[in-house]
Every structure is written in C-alpha cells, then in structure tokens.
Amino acid sequence: MTKPDPVYIEALKRLEAKPELAVQIADIMRAHRKRPSKASYEARLFKYHPVRYTILRNDPLWKVIDDSIAMGFADPLVGTGERVLYLLQHGYLTLSDIDVSFYSSETIEDILCMEGAGDESGLQIAEEDWHEKGEQIFDLSQIAALFSETDASDVPFSAINLPYSSFYIYWGAHLEIPSPISHRYIDGCYVSCRDWGTMDRMLELQFTSSFEPNFPWDTCSLICNVAHDANGSIGLMKSLSPEENGDADPTFSSLYADLDQTGFYPAPLAKKWTPALKKALSMAANCLCYLSAENAEVETGFPGDAPARLVLQTNSLKKSERERASSKLASLGFRRIHLCGRATAETLGLSHNTAQMPPHWRRGHWRKQRYGEKLAKTKIIWMSGVLVNAEKGQPAAGHIYIADKK
C-alpha cells in the first residue's frame, strides 16, 4: 500500500479548524482527475444504487472530507454530506449554471438538512454498511412484475431469512413505482438487520429512486448530485422484538401502520413520502419473501451484457486466468451480482425491463406453512390468484411455488 502523502495528511488535520481548506485541496486534486461520464465503463451498472452512489460522489471534495473523518481528524458524528452542505451554507461552494437550472441553493439546503426533505445521512449509513458486509446486490427485476399485485402485508418478519445482514435489492424503474419526485421511480432498497446489543434487533429499509435519463449528473457539481440522490431516498426502521410490538410477531403490515403515525418522520419527509411508500413497501416485502423461500432461484454471475468470453474465463481452473478475467471485467465496469428468477422469467415469457405481464394469475399471497418434525420449522410459499390477460392465451402456470429441487 502506498504511504499517504504527509502534506495531504497535514492538510486533513487542519480541516476541522478551517473547513474551507477542503475546497482548496479538492481543486488541486481535481485538476489531475477526470470525472466519470455517462458513457464511461464505470457507469455500466449505474441502475444499481450502490454503483450509482460511488459514481455520483466520485469527486475530490467528497474524498477529502471522507478521508478527514476516516483518519480521525474530523468529528465522525458529522457525515460527509453534512460537511459539504456546511461549505455551501458558508459560501465556500457555489453552484454552477447547470446546477441552478435544477436546484436553487435554498432547495439543496432543504434536501440535505437533517430535518429536511431528503435522506443523505440514511443513504450514507446504508451504503457504508452494505460495503462493510460484502457488497451484495440481488437483482429481481426480471420477475418483480409478478409481485405487483401480490399481498405480503401479513407475512411475519420471523418468516424472513435474510441472505446477508446487509444487502441491496433491485426491482427496477420499469415497474414505475412512483416516488414523490416527478419522473422518478422507487427502484430498490438497502436491507440491513442490526443487532444493537442491549437495544433491539432492528430491520432497516433504505429506499432509493431512479434517475431520469436526461438528468446531467456527469456535468452537475458534487453537491447537486448528492442532493438529487438524497431527494429520492428515505429510510424505515422496525424493531423485531415482540416486546416492542405488543408481544406480537411483527409483520410488514405493522410497517405500513407506522407510516401514518404522527411524528414517525420529520414533517417535511412525512408529507412528501407517506403517500408513496405503501407500494414500495409491498414490493420490498415480496422480494424478501422470494429470497426467503426454499430453493429460491438465485444464481451469482455477471450481467447479461458482460463479455461472454471473459465471464467463461472467471470459472477457469487456472487461478491466474480467473484473476485476469475478473480484473478485466472490473475494469469494464462489470461486477458479480445475484441474478434472481431468470429461468422463471423465461418460462413465463416475461420480457426484460417491462411491467407488461403475459397471461398470468394475479392477486396472490404469501402463506406461512409449518413442516418437519412436530411442525417445528416454518417456510413461506407463494399462492397466486385470479387469471389476468386471459385473452392473450393460457398462462404458463396457474400457481407459482418455489419448488423443491428433488
């Protein structure tokens, strides 16, 4: 590992006393650094928020502030986004002409303030936890349309088996689950299960929204991009302890109920998000039920547009060839993700990036079923309902279950 530049380290030490130095250091670094563009390899997987998060903040100013916190020279309780906001509020940062065509300085301040209308701090915590816990992405976009009318509100959290303590699920903007912001759709969420020792085990969902294709994130400034990202995000938290839920096994419907409780969010967030979240919560619940179901169809691999030859070489018997292929794919912007339900989608005739359904059964529900010796174990199965689009022909399946491979 390269030894940090002592001049840079000394500059970081001075940031707590003089935050404006962050701008000066970033300007020096920026002169030798090219920003990612929409056409760059880095942006291939921009649709996945963890990738998007890194790209939008790929700016020397973010790195300088982040480094000063990571190295203990700045208060770790004040997040990077809040420090960037401080620079704007005190006149150290100015918005470009492109920035102000989308956001005024006052609007950005409203979005990035802790009691405002966005959730930058929640995004940063969720992304950091995702990064620390293995950077797992589950793509359910090919089968998510199956869940659009499936009721998962009565599924208890105890029936959910999370594959990791922190991960990101993506169902896609093509479902057009509306966010409170025009032309943007809730496209996925971070899922974290935290054990806070003497406190409760908590389930956290941090929702993300897609970017409209014409938003010029590659030419907007750092703070404009951070505000735009935060403007489409909100986090929910729920105790998994029966004691905290009236001695009842909490269900997803209890999260829905929390949306209507006075004071659950700061007022601007509640007014903005409460009408939009029920459908997104339902989709998140369905995705988690799918991942919890026995023998759920999940395969780890590269996205379909990754070079087939390199993908094949990642399974080579030769370690050097595997490493070389993986390195090359990474340089091209590809990474391994968990691809869910591809065979099911093919069987049912589901098209990529469409919410249009072939003939199918709608209004299903997840059912909790006990099995095993003395019925001590629990699993969930998906029961589908009425036939939709029958005029287009017969559905591929009347009931859809996650079948035992035996």
Side-chain angles (χ1 to χ4, degrees):
M1 182 177 178
T2 305
K3 188 176 180 180
D5 183 346
V7 176
Y8 179 59
I9 296 298
E10 184 59 34
L12 294 181
K13 290 180 180 179
R14 298 167 59 195
L15 286 184
E16 193 73 352
K18 292 190 175 182
E20 65 273 20
L21 288 178
V23 178
Q24 298 174 9
I25 300 169
D27 284 341
I28 294 171
M29 295 170 64
R30 195 176 287 114
H32 304 285
R33 182 168 179 170
K34 187 177 180 181
R35 293 187 65 185
S37 71
K38 290 186 176 183
S40 67
Y41 290 146
E42 289 175 272
R44 282 191 190 273
L45 303 183
F46 190 80
K47 65 181 181 180
Y48 299 125
H49 186 270
V51 177
R52 186 159 73 237
Y53 183 95
T54 299
I55 291 174
L56 294 176
R57 293 158 180 78
N58 189 1
D59 183 278
L61 180 56
W62 186 272
K63 175 175 171 53
V64 167
I65 298 174
D66 225 20
D67 284 352
S68 68
I69 296 173
M71 295 182 185
F73 304 142
D75 185 352
L77 298 179
V78 182
T80 310
E82 295 171 72
R83 290 178 180 275
V84 174
L85 174 61
Y86 174 90
L87 296 174
L88 177 71
Q89 292 173 323
H90 289 78
Y92 302 126
L93 283 181
T94 56
L95 301 180
S96 69
D97 292 341
I98 295 175
D99 293 340
V100 297
S101 66
F102 292 94
Y103 293 103
S104 67
S105 195
E106 292 75 17
T107 302
I108 288 179
E109 289 183 24
D110 179 57
I111 292 170
L112 295 183
C113 282
M114 291 185 67
E115 298 299 310
D119 199 4
E120 161 58 27
S121 59
L123 272 182
Q124 187 168 357
I125 292 170
E127 194 278 340
E128 287 174 353
D129 195 46
W130 170 85
H131 175 73
E132 291 173 2
K133 302 295 175 54
E135 301 189 347
Q136 307 298 331
I137 296 175
F138 288 81
D139 186 337
L140 292 98
S141 59
Q142 280 194 255
I143 56 169
L146 289 171
F147 306 142
S148 293
E149 299 296 332
T150 300
D151 181 11
S153 61
D154 291 330
V155 173
F157 291 141
S158 62
I160 300 298
N161 298 312
L162 300 181
Y164 297 92
S165 60
S166 181
F167 55 99
Y168 180 75
I169 53 178
Y170 173 79
W171 51 75
H174 63 283
L175 296 184
E176 297 188 350
I177 297 176
S179 78
I181 304 105
S182 298
H183 310 299
R184 297 180 67 182
Y185 303 101
I186 303 175
D187 60 356
C189 72
Y190 292 89
V191 180
S192 296
C193 187
R194 304 178 191 276
D195 190 344
W196 288 352
T198 56
M199 298 179 68
D200 291 318
R201 247 179 109 234
M202 306 293 293
L203 178 70
E204 296 183 33
L205 303 178
Q206 186 77 32
F207 291 93
T208 62
S209 293
S210 62
F211 273 25
E212 54 273 62
N214 63 347
F215 183 76
W217 55 263
D218 53 339
T219 52
C220 285
S221 72
L222 168 69
I223 194 165
C224 184
N225 283 336
V226 169
H228 195 63
D229 196 21
N231 201 28
S233 180
I234 191 171
L236 295 177
M237 182 183 297
K238 185 68 178 179
S239 168
L240 300 181
S241 167
E243 291 78 10
E244 294 294 325
N245 292 277
D247 291 324
D249 193 355
T251 66
F252 283 95
S253 61
S254 61
L255 262 177
Y256 303 159
D258 284 346
L259 293 174
D260 300 323
Q261 290 183 7
T262 304
F264 187 74
Y265 301 127
L269 276 175
K271 181 178 179 181
K272 176 178 173 179
W273 278 96
T274 299
L277 268 181
K278 279 197 173 184
K279 195 168 183 181
L281 273 167
S282 179
M283 182 56 64
N286 275 283
C287 290
L288 291 175
C289 285
Y290 181 86
L291 295 178
S292 299
E294 285 193 337
N295 300 317
E297 185 195 337
V298 181
E299 56 180 304
T300 302
F302 292 91
D305 54 345
R309 179 181 61 82
L310 291 174
V311 172
L312 186 62
Q313 289 176 353
T314 61
N315 296 315
S316 170
L317 295 176
K318 296 181 179 179
K319 181 180 178 181
S320 59
E321 192 169 312
R322 292 198 306 270
E323 292 177 344
R324 186 164 56 248
S326 296
S327 177
K328 180 62 176 176
L329 284 166
S331 70
L332 293 175
F334 294 108
R335 55 170 297 141
R336 288 186 183 274
I337 56 178
H338 301 286
L339 304 165
C340 305
R342 292 204 294 184
T344 300
E346 185 176 346
T347 300
L348 296 179
L350 295 173
S351 302
H352 279 281
N353 298 323
T354 179
Q356 298 300 313
M357 294 291 295
H360 66 285
W361 294 89
R362 180 186 289 177
R363 199 57 188 174
H365 62 280
W366 293 95
R367 190 176 75 192
K368 186 176 180 181
Q369 185 180 82
R370 294 192 176 277
Y371 71 104
E373 186 177 351
K374 296 183 179 180
L375 301 180
K377 298 182 180 180
T378 300
K379 63 182 177 180
I380 52 176
I381 58 175
W382 182 28
M383 307 293 294
S384 56
V386 300
L387 181 60
V388 177
N389 291 339
E391 71 279 2
K392 296 181 181 180
Q394 290 299 310
H399 296 278
I400 299 175
Y401 302 93
I402 308 303
D404 191 323
K405 291 181 179 179
K406 296 179 183 177

